[in-house]
Every structure is written in structure tokens, then in C-alpha cells.
Amino acid sequence: MKITSTSCICPVLVCLCFVQRCYGTAHHSSIKVTRNQTKHIEGETEVHHRPKRGWVWNQFFVLEEHMGPDPQYVGKLHSNSDKGDGSVKYILTGEGAGTIFIIDDTTGDIHSTKSLDREQKTHYVLHAQAIDRRTNKPLEPESEFIIKVQDINDNAPKFTDGPYIVTVPEMSDMGTSVLQVTATDADDPTYGNSARVVYSILQGQPYFSVDPKTEHYQLYVPESAQVGSAVGKIKANDADTGSNADMTYSIINGDGVGIFSISTDKETREGILSLKKPLNYEKKKSYTLNIEGANTHLDFRFSHLGPFKDATMLKIIVGDVDEPPLFSMPSYVMEVYENAKIGTVVGTVLAQDPDSANSLVRYFIEYNAEDDRFFNIDANTGIIKTTKVLDREETPWYNITVAASEKDNPGLLSHVAVGIRVLDVNDNPPELAREYDIVVCENSKPGQVIHTISATDKDDFANGPRFNFFLDERLSINPNFTLKDNEDNTASILTRRRRFSRTIQDVYYLPIMISDGGIPSLSSSSTLTIRVCACERDGRVRTCHAEAFLSSAGLSTGALIAILLCVVILLAIVVLFITLRRSKKEPLIISEEDVRENVVTYDDEGGGEEDTEAFDITALRNPSAAEELKYRRDIIPEVNLTPRHQTLSTLESIDVQEFIKQRLAEADLDPSVPPYDSLQTYAYEGQRSEAGSISSLDSATTQSDQDYHYLGDWGPEFKKLAELYGEIESERTT
């Protein structure tokens, strides 16, 4: 039965603490005490040396509930300064002095005059003093002692928390903890057996029983509890408060030591029981722990009232839980040879139901939808087989996940990782490590190493190296080159004769054989291409025959001729194009006749104002104005004009029409800017048109809604015009 109530699963350890001040302790035999008294007065220390003096008294106990006719004798006070002549007077003060306890001032005998109850007051603190009857001066310093009330069995145990009401689930196992009851006894637990409680059941046998001595506790913990989790609590009661009630818990002994651990919650003063190792109901169904609770702050003045600790026994019941199948190993590693037939057995996994029912187990492999299924498993036996032919060079290792479930409860699953290593077989011959560009110098000598080659094998190390290099024995001996196996998986190519000539033969071919170290061994053949080149004396290649390079690149002589012919045709086209571009037309001759009587035809659009090669603009000029200034074409005149500077205020105040005329005049008279062969004057515009002038020179005097912002998009040639009309628009807006 799983008990969730904390009060039902947490044992209560009762630590009874008696707060007593015991600066003096009585004994059954007389004790003589000699003291050196030290008195502290206002920071000063006064030491009184009184050798051979001190109090002597019997141990003081008084029996509770004394019902005799005479006062009960408690004990005797005696000072070593008392000579028995009656000169010493004993005085008793403190709790109950003169009422409960009386003293014979001459003999020092103490008697109890009343019946005492230990459960109401356990001890009394009194003070005794001996004085000289003649001088009334103290013979000894005042001394403190305790009278303890001795317990008798006058209290019956009581159940302080009753009546108890508890429910029990049906079909509960025998030994299931139902309830814990606690009875207390007011008698002294440290003296005799008066406070010892014995439990028994008056009704309810044989269905229920109670432990008569320990009232040991039971705790239910399922076997599925996680390691490190808290499985229960335990708490001890302490009548003290504050730090005096602080305690710590520990496991003293029991067969659960090492399986469980206990820690202390300082806030709640509870012991937290935790699981250190996994539980298995099938192996062990219960554990027993002896747990001790002890105070952490001890006052050694009251150590004789201890021990300030208590212990209880806790029985832990392990609950059976339906668990998923358990594999025999945490993981499996299997091996299979590549190229094995489909259906080859790879290995077997084994899982069993750990529960006592021992249900049958079913196996299956978990695959993703996109995975290739190279293996399957027998659902009943767990035997894994191949479903495809494996290739180690493609996939050397497979990782699959096998799941197992109970036949009666398929929802309980357990998983295990299975690694399958694909073993290598010698199914790949060795090959040259790469393509080699081998060169032999014309001035080479016999036995000279011209190159070193190596090989690779896709198979594993056992079926690959060591490699053997040799020439094909079926062919005749090569008079030009030979092969030397270096026995380190490389081979060297050596010359067999002196000097080679490119003019005679510029390319040689050397067939070689390579075998691996597998069983059985595999071999392959390759052909090396060796080019003859001219070299320096130190062996550096100077040049090789061009055809040798082209042949190695796969180009034939016909292809080379076609390429060269194409190059020649392209060069001819380029030369012709350049020649045509350099040809130009002769400029038109300015006729002496009036330009209005001539019709000039040209098909060249020109290159703008700076283009002086396209046409001669003088054909458009007034014949009279054209004769005013003539300069040589394409020659910069040696005329230095004074730079023009106008302030912003001048530009703002000048008339636009006047401004344009000034700029035209300056441009016409400025020989330092292109075109150098033209005089940019517009002295003659022809007869007036019937439609009126379409010139923009007088646009400043007329109102127009025309937007001239598009002039800024016409390029740098119209930049000045765009700025000019931009200023006109600004003035109109103002």
C-alpha cells in the first residue's frame, strides 16, 4: 500500500530534554569538595585561598508521592570547619527552603515536609551557608546544590492523538503499514521502566497486529523510483524551542545502508530519505533502516540528563511495478562480411520481462520512413539478418535501434543500440594514386630515377598494402626504362640508356602492374606516359616539344590547324575594322556664294559642340561674318584671355537676354576652347518667319508655364542651360 500522508509514513522520534541547572551533583557516598573561590567585583579579581575547607554532603534525592507520617530525610550538609562543638550554624535558602525543605542549623540535616510530584517539578535549586555563631561571619562561601525528585510509576501512558481513523485498500499485501500510533508516559524515561510503553491490540486479530516494543514504521517505495529522488520523510519531536530543538538525522545500520541516504531539512527539521541505488522488487522486496535523530546544540552542563537523541526502526517495502523488457546487454556490437548473401545472420539480441509474470517478448527494428532497410529481426527470437548485399567501401558501419515489448502489454517498450560493422573482403584491385606527368631529360644517364609513383586501394588495410610494382612479364624487356619496387608501397622509374632525343621520339609509354596484399591477391595494369624534354644541367626542364603537350591534352594536328586558321581570320577582321575607323571624310569647302543659295547634304550626326571632325560649322554662318576671324583648324591659338569673374549680385541683376549675348560674344571671341577651327557667332539668322521667332533668347520677358527641369537630365552639355532656366523659374516664383 502506498501511503501519501506524511503523518503515516514519518516516524516520530521523541527526545525528552530536561532543562536543569546542575552546578552541584549529589552522590550516594559522601564527597568532600575543596574549592579555591574566585570573586569578581567591578572588574577586579579577588582570590581567596582556603585550603582544607569545603562543603561535604550526601547525594540529595527525595522520593515523590511520599505518604509517611514523618518528614522524609533528604541529606546532610557538613563543612570541614565544623568541629562538632556547635559553633557552626547552617542556613538554607532557595526554592522551597523553610516550607518544603527544613534544615537543622546545628547538624545540617535536611528533611522534606511535603509530598512532592515529579511530573510538576523535577528538581529544586537551594543554597547553603555555614556561619560562626559567635561572630555571624561566614565560614564558607555560599554554595548551590540541587535536590532531585525521584520518579515512581504513578502515570499511565496516554494516546495524545486519538481517536484514529484510517482506511486500508482491499487486497493489500501482508505487512502493509496501516497506521502508526504513539503513546506517551509522564514518568521519568531515564529512571527505571516507569516510562516504558508496551503496545498490544485488544480487538482486530488476526487481521491486524502491532509491534509491542518499537512500533517500527513502514514506508512504501515502488521499484520504479528514480535514483536521487526523495522517497519519504521522517521527523522527531523535541519539546525544546529555537536552536535547542535543532537536530540531525543519520542512518545507524540496517540492510538498506548504501541503498538509501538521509538528509536534514533545517527549516522543517525533517529527515529526507532519498534513493541512492535502483530498486528491484524481484531481487529484494524490503529493507530495514535504523534511523537516529540527535540534537546538534548540546549543553554539557546537562549531559547527565542525556542522551539527547533517539532512534527508530524504519521498514521499507519495495513495490512491484510492471516494467518493460530488459535487454541482456546495454548495447550490442555485431559483425558481418561485405558481399554476404541476403539473409545472412548478423547476430541475436535477448530481452526478458523482469517482472515475476515473465511475459513473452516481441522484437522489432525502429526505422525512419526515409531509411533504407538493410536488416530485419525475427520478432520471437531476436535474430538479425541482412536484407541487402552490403558494400564496406560504401558504408562501413550501420547503427540500428532494436525495441522490445511485452506481448501482453505492447505499450511498455525498451530500446537498445546495435552497431553492425561491415568486414572487408578483397574486392577492389589497387590503382595509381593519381595521374602522373613524367618527364625524362635528353641528357639523362642510365640508372637515373626520373619519377616515383604510389598506389591506393579502396579495401581495408589488411586487403590493401603492401603493394607490389612490376613490369608485365608477357612483354619484351623495355630497353629505355625499368621499374624498381621500393618495398614501401612506392616504386621508382629509372632510365636504362644514355640520352634521349625529342627529334627522334618525344613520347614513351611504360606499362606497369600493381598487386595488393589481400588473400587472394588482386592486381591491375596501368600505362605511364613519359615525355622527352630539354633540361638544364641541374635537371630543370627548359622546354618540351609543343606537340607533346598538345598530344597529352588530346588535340590532333588537324584541330591545331583549324584553331590557327581561326586566329588568323580574327586578326584580319580586327585590322580591317581599325583601318575603316581611321578613314574620314574631307570637310566641306566653304563657298563664296551666299549660304542661302547652297544646299549642304551630310550624313554624319557629329559628336556635339566639342566634335571638330564631323563637319565645318562655317557653312551655316553669314558669309560676311565668316570672314571676320579665321583660325587654323586643330591648332590652339596663342591668345590669353583674362578670366571672367562676376559676383553673384551682378548675375542676379543682369538681364537674361543681355547675359546670353555676353556669353555668346565671349564664346565667339575665346580661341582657347574647342572647337578651335570655328567662330561661334550667330550674326545672321535669316529672314523672319511668318510664324514668328522660336528662339528662347527672349523667353525671360514672356510668361510661360513650361517646366524646364528636364534639362538637368540631358547631360553635362546642357548643364549651364539647366542652371540658367532654373534661375528664371526661381525668379518667377519669387
Side-chain angles (χ1 to χ4, degrees), residues 180-196:
Q180 178 187 359
V181 296
T182 302
T184 59
D185 195 310
D187 292 326
D188 187 0
T190 63
Y191 181 76
N193 296 323
S194 299
R196 185 178 180 181

Side-chain angles (χ1 to χ4, degrees), residues 438-506:
I438 304 176
V439 173
V440 60
C441 295
E442 290 182 315
N443 56 355
S444 61
K445 299 178 180 179
Q448 182 178 346
V449 176
I450 61 173
H451 209 88
T452 300
I453 60 175
S454 60
T456 59
D457 196 319
K458 295 180 181 179
D459 291 323
D460 198 4
F461 183 83
N463 291 317
R466 125 166 164 76
F467 298 121
N468 294 318
F469 299 85
F470 52 92
L471 297 179
D472 193 346
E473 298 178 352
R474 295 171 298 179
L475 302 177
S476 59
I477 298 177
N478 192 311
N480 302 309
F481 304 97
T482 186
L483 191 66
K484 177 186 178 183
D485 192 335
N486 297 324
E487 298 184 355
D488 60 354
N489 298 321
T490 65
S492 298
I493 301 174
L494 294 81
T495 57
R496 300 192 65 177
R497 66 183 180 86
R498 185 183 301 275
R499 300 189 64 82
F500 292 84
S501 175
R502 289 178 295 162
T503 58
I504 299 176
Q505 185 175 352
D506 56 356

Side-chain angles (χ1 to χ4, degrees), residues 186-206:
D187 292 326
D188 187 0
T190 63
Y191 181 76
N193 296 323
S194 299
R196 185 178 180 181
V197 179
V198 179
Y199 299 90
S200 62
I201 289 182
L202 301 180
Q203 294 179 355
Q205 302 95 337

Side-chain angles (χ1 to χ4, degrees), residues 431-436 453-456 514:
E431 299 175 350
L432 285 177
R434 57 186 177 87
E435 294 290 336
Y436 291 98
I453 60 175
S454 60
T456 59
I514 309 173

Side-chain angles (χ1 to χ4, degrees), residues 638-644 666-673:
E638 297 179 357
V639 179
N640 295 326
L641 298 180
T642 303
R644 301 184 298 272
E666 291 175 356
D668 292 338
L669 299 176
D670 190 359
S672 62
V673 296

